[in-house]
Structure formats: structure tokens, C-alpha cells
Amino acid sequence: MKKIIVLIALMFSFSVFALDINEAKEQGLIGEQANGLLGAVESIPEVEALVKRINEQRLDKYSQVANKNEMTVEQISLLAGEKLIKKAPAGQYIKNATGQWVIK
């Protein structure tokens, strides 16, 4: 009986750990923000970790692009945020100008 419970627990934990950016967006757990970074719509530790990891990667890329084009990271982040919000499909969360999460 214990093995079954452990197996079920592992299956549920695996699905959370296996969460990727697209799945998290489709499930309404994360959304795009005007600053070019992801935000957690639902405050769940695994989701927060995913957001942190993706945002670190984005900021690294924004920094590279900014240096290459003699722009600031903030300028690149805002351009990326505008593009990512426009590109987000209907039904996914985006953060509006008032700071509220809304479904696009």
C-alpha cells in the first residue's frame, strides 16, 4: 500500500516538475508582463521557480542584445514585453497597465 501511495505522489510531483513555460501559460499559472518578464499568476513554489529560471535567461539575453545594439537592458525589456504581449494567444494571462492579470 505504501508503494502505491509513494508512486502516486511521485507521479503528481513529476507533473509539477515537468511543467514547462507553454504548459504553465496554457494552465493560467504564468503570464507575460510589459517589462518583458514572466510573472506568476498563481503563487506556487514550482511556478515561482520556473518564472525565476526563465526570467534569468531572458535578462541574460536582453543584456546581450542591449550591449550589441548600444541600448539599455530596460529598453530591450520593454520592446520584448510589447512583442511578447502582442504574440500571446487569446486565453492566456497578460498583466495590464494597472498591474492586474487579465485574460487576453
Side-chain angles (χ1 to χ4, degrees):
M1 184 68 172
K2 281 185 177 182
K3 288 182 181 179
I4 292 172
I5 293 172
V6 170
L7 183 61
I8 290 171
L10 284 173
M11 288 171 54
F12 283 112
S13 65
F14 179 74
S15 66
V16 171
F17 289 121
L19 190 67
D20 71 16
I21 186 172
N22 292 325
E23 291 171 335
K25 284 182 176 180
E26 289 171 5
Q27 293 177 22
L29 300 172
I30 63 173
E32 294 292 347
Q33 303 178 99
N35 63 3
L37 300 176
L38 286 173
V41 177
E42 298 286 332
S43 184
I44 301 169
E46 291 80 8
V47 171
E48 297 281 352
L50 174 68
V51 166
K52 182 180 178 197
R53 182 171 45 88
I54 298 296
N55 283 343
E56 287 172 351
Q57 294 171 359
R58 284 186 177 185
L59 285 171
D60 185 49
K61 186 65 176 178
Y62 295 163
S63 179
Q64 292 173 17
V65 173
N67 288 335
K68 188 175 181 181
N69 294 288
E70 297 181 5
M71 297 174 72
T72 65
V73 173
E74 184 179 27
Q75 289 172 316
I76 298 299
S77 296
L78 291 174
L79 290 171
E82 182 180 319
K83 185 175 178 180
L84 289 166
I85 286 175
K86 282 183 183 174
K87 189 177 165 185
Q92 290 189 359
Y93 278 95
I94 58 171
K95 192 173 261 187
N96 66 17
T98 63
Q100 300 294 315
W101 288 111
V102 295
I103 296 175
K104 183 175 176 186

